Amino acid sequence: MMRLRLTDRRGSALQRREARAGYLFISPWVFGFLALTAGPMVVSLYLSFTDYSLVNETHQVGLENYRQLFEDPRVGKSLANTFVYAAMFVPLGIVVALGLALLLLRLGRFSGFFRTVFYLPVMTPGVAAGAMFLLLLNGQRGLLNDVLGWFGITGPNWTTDPAWLKPSLAVVSLWTMGGSIIIYLAALNNVPKQLYEAALLDGAGPVRRFVSVTLPMISGALFFTVITHTIGAMQMFDQAFTMYYGPQQGATASDESLVYMVYLFQNAFQYFRMGFASALAWVLFAIILVITVVQVRVGNRFVYYEGGSTR
Amino acid sequence: MTLDVRRPLRPDDPDRPAREGELASLVTTGGGRRRRLTSGLVVRWLLLLLATVAFAYPLVWLVSASLKPKAQVFDNRLVPETVQWSNFVTVWDAGPVLQWLMNSGLVSLMAAATVTLSSALVAFGFAYFRFRLRGALFGLVLATMMLPGAVTMIPVYLIWNRLGFVDTQVPLWAGNLFGSAFYIFLMRQFFLGVPRELFEAARIDGCSNLGLFRRIALPLCRPALIIVFIFELQASWSDLMKPLIYLQTEEYYTMPRGLKQIVDSFALSGQYNWEIAMAATLVATVPMIIVFAFGQRYFLEGLATQAKQG
């Protein structure tokens, strides 16, 4: 009896020491979380109910910011633009990346070269990609329309025609999506070979094999990229700001290129409407949260996990 | 069908994941056939070639455009009729470009070094030690990955403002001292892969907790450290938002912020010196291409591990 209790207590002392060490190791993150995430979240929520502007006296305005948010046509416009951009880029990006990953599967030793080529654009800073494509997409003399011209297609004014501003942003994003090609390639390489052999024995054709074997087996990677791409697209800033928001455009910039983050940034750091910008930020958070939850709900019905669990 | 991962897989094992290249014929056309020059193969290579041109050509075009005289920027010929090296001299004079490059380099190195070290510490804490709130806190780490930066952007700006760090480069990297959720997640996976016996043996030999981290966890997980380091190096180099928010003095700008200014100033003056803008764009991009040349194995590896976690 005595000995049992003794080991018990020694064990718990050890456990306490281990726990202390654990908390010590994670303390940088805990501090960072409190000081730079949780604290600021509370402050941001508070600011969203004020007219804080960095300089003038601050008043509590209740739900005024949120009411204005619904009335400000530029909020609705920027949100709609962001959705349209995301709706173009996310599915297109996934189809193109998956297609390229499938093409790369065949190539054993060449695949390194192609992976490098496809990933290289990701290294280009967003500003640089934006500046480059401003010229490449030029309506009259840009390279893309030149190429389209060879096929007798008259390309649009990508960067000036209001209808084409969002597609032009999607083109730039497509150019820098090499990361998902690599992710899909890794997932495709992990599909057990005998599944294809079994499908083949069952007389499944190439389309059937793709739909019934390949897609379910890589659904985890697909799901992951759908979510990360959507979250990223909702927060797109660099390219839009570089291409369409210099001093030259000023007030004349077409609202067709106004994405949500650009409008948020303008409110916070150009118009110094920080209370209103905080409200915008919270609305963005809510939208991303809802989209992600829906995607996870829907996704879980289609994603196949080996062994039946996530990890 | 489940795979027993603990069973070693022999090369002829039917459960062995297919090697790259083996699969393709099965995924797409007929399985098991010998590779001949089928029309399918031709189409595939054509598509690949097309994609290669689409992905690589813009960068090649950038090099060429940056060397052209103003009148030829838009002629879209790959080899400039006349090579105008002076474009780069003009870029040099368009702002303190060397300073911007050094600022970017310094900021990125600081950001990468701090985030690697702090994320590794935290990841080790979560991977090795057992404590009551471990699961809950780690859940919180994962949850923060979903939080858009916009929510904390303004209060964090106010903090740095209050501390007197606005218009310095400190806010561009100092937040990294506290680790970053995604990297913590990534490194934890690596640390979990180290056999626990290794740590226990070292502990019996009198190794302290910090010693376990420094002498065993870190050396064994060097690839993870390198992956995190160069990912953050790239992310930090490319960042535009933070320099826009925090930097006012031109001398403190990072290269992307400087590039934005160059592009804007030409447009503002109505001059549209696109050849100079392209030369500046190239200057902002080349350092990252060099980083990629050295670190590409780790970039590609890092992305592949993401797939397995997904």
Side-chain angles (χ1 to χ4, degrees):
Chain A
M1 252 344 236
M2 205 48 198
R3 268 175 61 192
L4 234 168
R5 265 183 60 193
L6 216 92
T7 43
D8 232 0
R9 276 175 57 186
R10 262 182 54 211
S12 68
L14 255 178
Q15 276 169 14
R16 271 207 305 276
R17 273 232 307 273
E18 182 175 342
R20 214 165 29 233
Y23 286 117
L24 210 62
F25 268 89
I26 66 162
S27 59
W29 178 80
V30 173
F31 178 80
F33 174 75
L34 294 176
L36 295 176
T37 306
M41 278 176 80
V42 175
V43 174
S44 163
L45 190 63
Y46 168 76
L47 288 180
S48 75
F49 298 111
T50 70
D51 62 357
Y52 185 65
S53 69
L54 204 61
V55 276
N56 295 328
E57 207 183 317
T58 306
H59 306 96
Q60 303 229 24
V61 294
L63 288 170
E64 177 61 20
N65 286 328
Y66 292 92
R67 195 186 60 77
Q68 270 184 33
L69 217 132
F70 280 101
E71 284 177 4
D72 184 343
R74 299 192 77 200
V75 172
K77 188 72 207 167
S78 67
L79 194 56
N81 287 340
T82 308
F83 278 135
V84 170
Y85 159 75
M88 280 187 292
F89 166 63
V90 176
L92 252 178
I94 282 159
V95 169
V96 172
L98 183 57
L100 288 175
L102 282 171
L103 289 180
L104 287 188
L105 254 190
R106 192 175 254 272
L107 314 159
R109 86 192 91 109
F110 293 106
S111 120
F113 166 77
F114 288 107
R115 276 186 306 194
T116 303
V117 167
F118 294 149
Y119 195 74
L120 213 50
V122 184
M123 303 305 291
T124 323
V127 194
M132 260 170 80
F133 273 87
L134 211 45
L135 266 68
L136 288 170
L137 296 177
N138 183 286
Q140 273 77 50
R141 300 173 292 173
L143 181 66
L144 183 57
N145 281 1
D146 265 16
V147 173
L148 290 176
W150 301 344
F151 303 98
I153 303 167
T154 313
N157 287 320
W158 295 90
T159 56
T160 49
D161 182 347
W164 287 93
L165 298 182
K166 291 181 284 285
S168 73
L169 288 177
V171 167
V172 185
S173 303
L174 279 178
W175 185 64
T176 53
M177 50 138 223
S180 24
I181 300 176
I182 314 291
I183 292 180
Y184 296 155
L185 199 56
L188 285 168
N189 277 318
N190 276 327
V191 180
K193 189 185 168 191
Q194 88 278 11
L195 289 183
Y196 289 112
E197 283 163 358
L200 209 64
L201 284 178
D202 291 344
V207 175
R208 187 59 205 260
R209 284 202 297 277
F210 179 74
V211 173
S212 303
V213 180
T214 309
L215 277 185
M217 291 306 288
I218 64 164
S219 53
L222 285 173
F223 185 52
F224 173 77
T225 48
V226 168
I227 291 192
T228 51
H229 275 63
T230 313
I231 294 179
M234 294 303 295
Q235 299 179 73
M236 120 79 102
F237 176 82
D238 285 10
Q239 288 99 317
F241 194 72
T242 307
M243 291 172 76
Y244 301 121
Y245 291 89
Q248 75 279 15
Q249 287 96 356
T252 63
S254 165
D255 271 357
E256 292 301 321
S257 62
L258 187 70
V259 292
Y260 198 83
M261 270 310 286
V262 168
Y263 193 47
L264 199 159
F265 173 83
Q266 287 185 329
N267 271 295
F269 296 102
Q270 289 179 356
Y271 318 146
F272 294 107
R273 298 172 66 194
M274 290 196 162
F276 185 63
S278 298
L280 283 174
W282 276 95
V283 168
L284 178 67
F285 183 30
I287 292 170
I288 290 181
L289 202 65
V290 168
I291 294 178
T292 311
V293 166
V294 169
Q295 282 178 340
V296 170
R297 281 273 166 82
V298 175
N300 275 340
R301 290 169 48 201
F302 295 101
V303 176
Y304 169 81
Y305 295 110
E306 227 166 314
S309 80
T310 346
R311 255 178 291 282
Chain B
M1 163 130 323
T2 52
L3 265 172
D4 184 354
V5 285
R6 279 155 305 187
R7 185 162 50 87
L9 294 171
R10 276 168 292 109
D12 55 339
D13 196 303
D15 280 354
R16 175 178 63 86
R19 264 197 235 104
E20 214 166 288
E22 274 180 8
L23 266 188
S25 56
L26 289 161
V27 177
T28 45
T29 50
R33 258 187 280 145
R34 263 174 168 257
R35 261 199 228 171
R36 276 170 287 125
L37 196 66
T38 56
S39 58
L41 198 60
V42 172
V43 169
R44 204 152 297 129
W45 273 97
L46 274 178
L47 284 174
L48 265 177
L49 214 65
L50 207 72
T52 304
V53 171
F55 277 79
Y57 199 88
L59 281 173
V60 179
W61 172 90
L62 175 68
V63 176
S64 128
S66 67
L67 289 169
K68 287 175 177 173
K70 188 171 183 150
Q72 291 168 25
V73 176
F74 279 105
D75 71 7
N76 292 333
R77 238 175 307 194
L78 201 53
V79 182
E81 229 171 302
T82 33
V83 173
Q84 186 169 300
W85 291 101
S86 66
N87 286 349
F88 289 97
V89 180
T90 316
V91 168
W92 216 247
D93 297 334
V97 174
L98 185 64
Q99 184 71 50
W100 292 344
L101 283 169
M102 291 198 310
N103 292 344
S104 271
L106 193 69
V107 165
S108 311
L109 283 175
M110 286 298 284
T114 49
V115 93
T116 308
L117 187 66
S118 57
S119 302
L121 265 172
V122 175
F124 185 67
F126 277 120
Y128 178 68
F129 300 102
R130 278 167 292 217
F131 46 95
R132 208 154 54 88
L133 292 175
R134 179 168 78 164
L137 287 175
F138 192 67
L140 213 52
V141 172
L142 297 185
T144 58
M145 283 205 269
M146 257 197 43
L147 185 75
V151 171
T152 52
M153 186 169 78
I154 292 170
V156 169
Y157 170 82
L158 297 176
I159 293 174
W160 292 122
N161 192 23
R162 186 64 64 88
L163 294 174
F165 283 122
V166 166
D167 205 25
T168 73
Q169 286 151 2
V170 174
L172 307 193
W173 58 266
N176 282 353
L177 280 168
F178 310 113
S180 153
F182 175 64
Y183 299 140
I184 292 171
F185 178 58
L186 199 125
M187 285 205 258
R188 177 177 161 272
Q189 303 289 102
F190 273 84
F191 290 144
L192 285 176
V194 178
R196 222 180 155 78
E197 292 78 19
L198 232 56
F199 291 115
E200 303 305 344
R203 183 179 291 291
I204 288 165
D205 289 346
C207 207
S208 67
N209 286 328
L210 211 58
L212 292 180
F213 173 66
R214 207 166 55 86
R215 287 162 198 261
I216 298 178
L218 285 192
L220 284 175
C221 298
R222 237 183 62 183
L225 299 181
I226 300 176
I227 287 170
V228 167
F229 187 86
I230 60 179
F231 262 77
E232 183 62 20
L233 201 67
Q234 198 266 339
S236 174
W237 180 282
S238 302
D239 187 34
L240 174 67
M241 180 86 92
K242 275 194 190 134
L244 275 174
I245 293 174
Y246 289 105
L247 304 177
Q248 293 134 23
T249 310
E250 210 185 68
E251 274 70 36
Y252 301 154
Y253 280 7
T254 58
M255 193 58 216
R257 178 68 188 87
L259 174 61
K260 169 79 173 136
Q261 166 149 311
I262 288 182
V263 174
D264 285 352
S265 69
F266 289 143
L268 195 62
S269 63
Q271 296 262 312
Y272 292 102
N273 292 322
W274 286 118
E275 74 289 1
I276 313 297
M278 288 306 103
T281 302
L282 189 65
V283 170
T285 307
V286 162
M288 280 305 100
I289 307 266
I290 295 170
V291 166
F292 183 73
F294 283 107
Q296 62 155 309
R297 191 160 73 85
Y298 297 98
F299 272 112
L300 304 181
E301 224 171 74
L303 287 162
T305 22
Q306 273 186 24
K308 273 157 217 156
Q309 288 157 3

